[in-house]
C-alpha cells in the first residue's frame, strides 16, 4: 500500500543549519533561496543543495497553499469514525477516492478508521454518507462528529522545529 503514509519514516539526521532552514521555509515557503542564504549566512547554491536533500529524504514533502474551505463553499468539517468488518485496506482505498474525504487515518480503539470530510451542509453530508461511505463493502458502522467551532491554527510546525532545535543543542 505505497499510496498510504505509514508514519514509520526513518529519522533524518539534521544539523542546526537544516533546522534553521526548515524554520525559514515554514515561515515563508515562497522565500527565495537567495533570501534564505542571507538569513543563514551561506551561499544560495548551498541552500538549494540542502533543500534538495531535505526533499529527497522526505523531510520536505511539498509546498502548499493554505485554503479557506469556507470561502470556497465547504465550511463544514466532519469527522467520521468507521468500523470496517473486513478488508480494511480496500475500505481505506475507497474512502480515499471520495472527493469530500480530506484524510483517512487508521486508528486504535473502538473504531478502525477516522476520516476527515469537507462538505457544504448537512444535506451534502447526508448524500456523501448514503451514496458513498455506506456503500463501501466492508463498512459496518459510521459515526459522524460535526465540528461546531475550531481554534485559530497554532504555529505547530515552528513549535516542533523549536523542540528539535532544543534537542540538538543538548
Amino acid at each position: 500500500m505505497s499510496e498510504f503514509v505509514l508514519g514509520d519514516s526513518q529519522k533524518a539526521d539534521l544539523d542546526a543549519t537544516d533546522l534553521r532552514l526548515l524554520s525559514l521555509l515554514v515561515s515563508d515557503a515562497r522565500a527565495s533561496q537567495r533570501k534564505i542564504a542571507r538569513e543563514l549566512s551561506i551561499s544560495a547554491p548551498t541552500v538549494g543543495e540542502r533543500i534538495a536533500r531535505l526533499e529527497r529524504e522526505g523531510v520536505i514533502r511539498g509546498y502548499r497553499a493554505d485554503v479557506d474551505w469556507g470561502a470556497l463553499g465547504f465550511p463544514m468539517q466532519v469527522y467520521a469514525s468507521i468500523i470496517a468488518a473486513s478488508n480494511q485496506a480496500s475500505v481505506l482505498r475507497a474512502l480515499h477516492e471520495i472527493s469530500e474525504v480530506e484524510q483517512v487515518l487508521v486508528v486504535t480503539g473502538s473504531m478502525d478508521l477516522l476520516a476527515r470530510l469537507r462538505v457544504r451542509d448537512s444535506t451534502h453530508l447526508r448524500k456523501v454518507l448514503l451514496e458513498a461511505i455506506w456503500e463501501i463493502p466492508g463498512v459496518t458502522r459510521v459515526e459522524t462528529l460535526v465540528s461546531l467551532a475550531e481554534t485559530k491554527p497554532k504555529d505547530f510546525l515552528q513549535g516542533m522545529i523549536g523542540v528539535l532545535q532544543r534537542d540538538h543543542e543538548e
Side-chain angles (χ1 to χ4, degrees), residues 4-25:
F4 302 109
V5 178
L6 300 177
D8 58 357
S9 301
Q10 189 161 348
K11 185 176 181 295
D13 186 26
L14 306 181
D15 63 18
T17 302
D18 290 329
L19 293 172
R20 287 181 50 220
L21 171 61
L22 278 175
S23 179
L24 292 168
L25 285 173

Side-chain angles (χ1 to χ4, degrees), residues 58-139:
V59 173
I60 297 174
R61 295 189 301 192
Y63 305 87
R64 295 164 187 79
D66 185 11
V67 175
D68 179 347
W69 288 106
L72 294 177
F74 294 87
M76 195 172 185
Q77 183 169 237
V78 178
Y79 293 89
S81 64
I82 300 162
I83 297 175
S86 62
N87 205 347
Q88 192 178 73
S90 67
V91 173
L92 193 62
R93 282 189 197 90
L95 287 166
H96 188 73
E97 293 300 316
I98 299 170
S99 297
E100 292 85 354
V101 173
E102 190 173 350
Q103 184 179 30
V104 182
L105 305 170
V106 178
V107 296
T108 61
S110 61
M111 66 187 95
D112 299 316
L113 306 166
L114 183 64
R116 186 172 64 227
L117 295 80
R118 278 286 173 182
V119 294
R120 291 182 186 94
D121 51 32
S122 61
T123 302
H124 187 191
L125 173 60
R126 184 175 57 246
K127 182 177 179 174
V128 171
L129 289 170
L130 291 172
E131 297 177 13
I133 295 177
W134 288 343
E135 292 295 317
I136 298 171
V139 169

Side-chain angles (χ1 to χ4, degrees), residues 12 48-61 63:
E49 290 168 9
R50 283 179 177 261
I51 289 173
R53 179 178 50 79
L54 293 170
E55 289 171 348
R56 275 192 316 275
E57 292 178 357
V59 173
I60 297 174
R61 295 189 301 192
Y63 305 87

